[in-house]
Amino acid sequence: MLPFLLLLLLLPSSSTALDFCVGDITTPQTPSGYHCKSPTKVTIDDFIFNGFEQPGNTTNIIKAAVSPAFAAQFPGLNGLGISLARLDLAPGGVVPLHTHPSGNEVLLVVQGSIKAGFISSSNSVYYKTLHKGDIMIFPQGLLHFQINAGGIPSVAYASFSSSDPGLQITSIALFGSSLPSIIIEKTTFLDHAQVKKLKAVLGGMN
Ligand SMILES: *[C@@H]1O[C@H](CO)[C@@H](O)[C@H](O)[C@H]1NC(C)=O
């Protein structure tokens, strides 16, 4: 037994270590991310993302744009447990209550002011108006929001503890999906007229 253990200690431990696993986004995503692109096909451009150079388009119902640099958009960070997003909020803009099921979030405000908050799983509420230079944490999986609080376009960058943190907006999940109205009414205590009105705004079916 002892000689066997010594042999294990002598084996080079780094021989199978992967420095990176640039995602092959032509293949389906797995629970641990994308399969790795062949290292012989990896180039410097796999490690660079240019999608934050322009503001996101905020001409939409929420007057906001979330531009993700998750593994699907930035394959170089596949498997590294990190990712980013740019957030643009026009005056009156809001990122409605949403969750990132798979990652903690750190948000840095770089322009304007943003009222941001989250609700804990014991329903304690934490919110504050953030100004340029302020940073706030949103723990994994908790419902949270960001609202323009400055009257001017606001910009923030979020980083996540996952290369694919996910993004689910609660109102769109409810009123922009195919969940039948009768089930929404039963599970939310909203009445039929309220559900129909929200579905008309957010595109829900059934
Ligand atoms: C922004 O989005 C709106 C609505 O989809 C579209 O009409 C407009 O052309 C877009 N603007 C730019 C600069 O892409």
Side-chain angles (χ1 to χ4, degrees), residues 131-154:
H131 304 286
K132 182 178 174 180
D134 291 342
I135 296 174
M136 182 168 171
I137 290 164
F138 304 88
Q140 180 169 341
L142 300 185
L143 284 166
H144 60 285
F145 60 85
Q146 288 99 12
I147 302 169
N148 184 313
I152 60 164
S154 296

Side-chain angles (χ1 to χ4, degrees), residues 57-60:
N57 188 340
T58 56
T59 305
N60 53 50

Side-chain angles (χ1 to χ4, degrees), residues 51-52 54-68 85-96 98 107 114 146 148 154-158 167 169:
F52 291 167
Q54 301 296 327
N57 188 340
T58 56
T59 305
N60 53 50
I61 188 171
I62 60 173
K63 298 180 182 162
V66 179
S67 309
R86 172 177 171 144
L87 171 58
D88 288 278
L89 287 167
V94 56
V95 184
H98 64 281
L107 185 83
I114 295 174
Q146 288 99 12
N148 184 313
S154 296
V155 181
Y157 292 95
L167 166 61
I169 297 179

